[in-house]
Amino acid sequence: MPSVTQGDLLVIRQPTKYSSAEVKEVVEAAGDSAAILYQYYRMASLYKDSCRVSDEVVADALGWPTYKAARYRRALEKAAFIRISSVGTGTTKITKIVVGKEAVALFDAGLPHNIVDINTFKEVMRSLGINASQLPQNLPRIQVEMAKRTIQ
């Protein structure tokens, strides 16, 4: 899963295109305005400053009031489509944005995003019948299956 670091912004997202199925899932979970905001966060790797993803700047870019950007960001976080966190302090502070259900599930489970082949990971989850929300309790099963496929 690629990560892009520029300035004080680190973006981790799934390398896949924004599919119609993903749009539908976002709309059903968080609303149609959330789908627009989600697309903005998927493009966040184009930015290098964390201020570009603040609610105020995002709202201005989308022509929304700040409260609307904040409300839909919280809806996307609650539905586990994004995670935004800050690491460090002062001049060493980095804002991390994790975008995509699988990337967020890995982040929430404490797994490093850069050691997992996302295609194999998705294949294992499908074969075990596990969705992203079930990831934490099924980590041992997934790790065993990932190890088996790596050895082959």
Side-chain angles (χ1 to χ4, degrees), residues 68-89:
K68 182 175 181 178
R71 179 177 54 179
Y72 285 105
R73 175 192 40 79
R74 286 190 300 270
L76 288 170
E77 288 178 315
K78 183 177 179 184
F81 282 99
I82 65 166
R83 285 288 178 265
I84 300 176
S85 64
S86 294
V87 180
T89 58

Side-chain angles (χ1 to χ4, degrees), residues 6 8 17 23-24 32 38 51 64 68 96 107 124 130:
Q6 304 180 67
D8 67 344
K17 293 183 180 178
V23 172
K24 184 178 179 184
D32 54 351
Y38 182 68
C51 67
W64 292 354
K68 182 175 181 178
K96 182 188 292 188
F107 178 79
V124 166
I130 297 169

